Amino acid sequence: MRAARARSAELDLGPSGLNAVLWSDVDAEERDAIEVDGRARGADGLPLAGVPVVVKDNIATLGLPTTCGSRILEGYVSPFEATAVARLRTAGAVVVGKSNMDEFGMGSSTEHSAYGPARNPHDVRRVPGGSSGGSAAAVAAGAVRVALGSETGGSVRQPAAFCGIVGVKPTYGRVSRYGLVAFASSLDQVGVFGRTVDDAAVALGAIAGRDPHDATSADFDVPDYRAADGQGLAGLRIGLPREYFPKSLDAGMRARLDAAVDAMRGAGAEIVEVSLPHTELAIPTYYIVAPAEASSNLARFDGVRYGTRAPAGDLRELYERTRSGGFGPEVTRRILLGTYVLSAGYYDAYYRKAQEVRGLIARDFAHAFEKADLLFTPTTPTPAFALGALSDPYEMYLSDIFTVTANLAGVPAMSVPVGRVDGLPVGGQLIAPHFGEPAMFRAAYALERALGAAAHA
């Protein structure tokens, strides 16, 4: 824990530097580390004993603020802790900070944080991705080996790709959402970052499993994801969806992805072509479903129950002043969009239709997995872009074009480093059928071993 603290100070993870970590409590961390020292002596079953972790600011923690990167929850400290955090602590981890994020998870760059943008450790003029950019930056900078993030449309995998680390979105229901502040409940998930595939495997194994506090968590045994290491890829069919490799894909990225495909073929995998024909509908579908659910979920932030309360003369003025002053422009935009598509006369034309298309996207994956055991794609269409480069919201939304489909279908996916383009990290994405994480980790271990230093070169 002290080493992580020293490294954080050296890197300046605070607002004058990478701005990756928003909140921490040195005294509490010291107490927790001493307690873990006592538990770890001669004990088994502590796979993360003494490991410092950073937790995204929309995942509830005792003692540290949970603000979701928003002024509307400024200073809010949860009276309970998220199941994922509690399980990390049970496994011996020490929480050393809450990380910066796009407000309420709505963004792809961590530029929409009320506390200022986070920066990419590989180039501070560029974004670390989002919305879990602070967690990704902390891991990539070497301050911690493991961090928690959350996903609604790619918010773990995209920053993992931009920062050159491993990011995992498990199957919907694999990890409890209890204590994760809701953005879009049918899409939201807790995910993990790791410096290596093994880091991510240990972290996911620690937090996965049924939770009686979350009715959507699945009652399936948690396998040992680390057992996939060393199995190789012989007999595994890996599909390349043609829609994810358009002619417009950056030549440098294509070269790195082609090298990754060759590495998997060399490790024994059979490479096949598949199709996900409704991919082009993913972004419009996602940006109807997610804002609609956000409009409903964020109605609770009204200045009455918790968080910021604006001075007002009556109830209507309280709602208006609290929400107008507390929410930033991107959150406001999505609430307005979501309220519109749910309104009378538009529900069937937009929200119901989007849910029908969501079913088609899920069916695409089911058909693809009849031909392949796993899919491999780019994680992002480009490397990390410059701060302020995507001022058009639609351009920003398109940066998630390769990630939102897995959220809409509920299937597991992960990003692994496959190299660099112009000095910036590039990620390759592995996608598996529901609860197919063991095969996904099997391919990730093999790819990491096959690429070796080239993955980070």
Side-chain angles (χ1 to χ4, degrees):
M1 185 277 295
R2 290 172 181 157
R5 174 69 52 194
R7 178 68 171 157
S8 298
E10 176 189 344
L11 297 165
D12 190 2
L13 297 188
S16 61
L18 296 177
N19 201 22
V21 175
L22 297 177
W23 325 113
S24 60
D25 183 336
V26 177
D27 292 338
E29 293 160 19
E30 185 86 14
R31 290 193 300 270
D32 289 347
I34 291 170
E35 189 266 337
V36 172
D37 275 345
R39 289 169 56 204
R41 291 193 181 94
D44 294 324
L46 293 180
L48 292 170
V51 175
V53 299
V54 166
V55 175
K56 188 176 179 181
D57 193 33
N58 62 343
I59 301 174
T61 48
L62 291 168
L64 290 173
T66 301
T67 72
C68 297
S70 178
R71 295 294 182 193
I72 206 164
L73 280 174
E74 192 165 20
Y76 173 74
V77 178
S78 173
F80 68 97
E81 194 151 71
T83 296
V85 176
R87 288 178 175 173
L88 282 180
R89 293 192 195 276
T90 299
V94 179
V95 176
V96 296
K98 299 294 288 291
S99 62
N100 202 358
M101 59 177 287
D102 285 300
E103 185 179 6
F104 281 98
M106 300 183 192
S108 305
S109 64
T110 316
E111 292 175 289
H112 298 301
S113 169
Y115 304 98
R119 290 174 168 79
N120 193 314
H122 298 280
D123 182 348
V124 295
R125 299 166 299 178
R126 295 180 181 268
V127 303
S131 62
S132 309
S135 287
V139 174
V144 293
R145 294 194 67 90
V146 170
L148 289 188
S150 71
E151 276 244 7
T152 307
S155 289
V156 168
R157 288 164 289 151
Q158 187 248 29
F162 279 5
C163 290
I165 58 174
V166 177
V168 181
K169 182 204 91 69
T171 304
Y172 186 85
R174 178 77 282 185
V175 175
S176 172
R177 292 185 299 114
Y178 181 73
L180 171 65
V181 178
F183 162 10
S185 301
S186 73
L187 300 166
D188 294 343
Q189 295 182 245
V190 175
V192 298
F193 294 99
R195 297 265 294 281
T196 66
V197 173
D198 199 58
D199 292 336
V202 175
L204 181 61
I207 67 174
R210 172 82 173 118
D211 176 18
H213 295 300
D214 177 9
T216 65
S217 65
D219 192 10
F220 285 86
D221 290 339
V222 180
D224 179 5
Y225 300 120
R226 303 182 80 185
D229 188 11
Q231 291 184 5
L233 300 183
L236 206 64
R237 298 168 302 165
I238 297 181
L240 306 182
R242 65 175 67 99
E243 294 81 6
Y244 286 63
F245 292 87
K247 292 181 180 179
S248 58
L249 189 64
D250 177 84
M253 290 193 65
R254 182 178 292 275
R256 290 300 187 186
L257 293 162
D258 287 346
V261 171
D262 289 341
M264 289 187 289
R265 185 184 286 111
E270 177 189 355
I271 306 300
V272 299
E273 186 179 271
V274 298
S275 177
L276 299 171
H278 294 95
T279 296
E280 65 178 3
L281 301 177
I283 290 293
T285 299
Y286 175 84
Y287 281 100
I288 290 174
V289 174
E293 296 185 13
S295 171
S296 176
N297 277 323
L298 270 63
R300 71 193 67 179
F301 301 104
D302 53 14
V304 175
R305 285 160 284 196
Y306 38 71
T308 299
R309 175 180 295 184
D314 57 40
L315 190 61
R316 182 184 181 90
E317 186 183 12
L318 171 65
Y319 289 163
E320 290 180 348
R321 295 186 65 181
T322 296
R323 290 171 67 82
S324 296
F327 289 136
E330 182 60 29
V331 174
T332 301
R333 180 183 294 114
R334 298 200 196 190
I335 290 173
L336 290 172
L337 176 60
T339 303
Y340 177 79
V341 301
L342 290 176
S343 61
Y346 296 102
Y347 180 92
D348 287 340
Y350 292 104
Y351 186 71
R352 186 186 298 278
K353 183 64 68 176
Q355 291 287 25
E356 291 171 354
V357 176
R358 182 180 184 178
L360 296 177
I361 291 170
R363 193 181 309 163
D364 284 351
F365 277 103
H367 290 159
F369 288 128
E370 292 173 0
K371 298 180 180 179
D373 302 302
L374 295 172
L375 306 181
F376 180 74
T377 79
T379 308
T380 61
T382 67
F385 47 86
L387 289 157
L390 300 187
S391 56
D392 181 344
Y394 184 65
E395 288 185 17
M396 184 74 77
Y397 299 165
L398 287 176
S399 67
D400 294 330
I401 193 167
F402 296 143
T403 55
V404 297
T405 49
N407 296 86
L408 290 167
V411 294
M414 67 188 294
S415 181
V416 294
V418 296
R420 292 180 182 245
V421 173
D422 298 329
L424 297 170
V426 172
Q429 178 176 222
L430 292 161
I431 307 174
H434 292 102
F435 300 102
E437 285 90 348
M440 191 172 71
F441 274 103
R442 176 183 168 189
Y445 274 118
L447 183 58
E448 182 180 61
R449 180 174 286 105
L451 291 177
H456 303 280

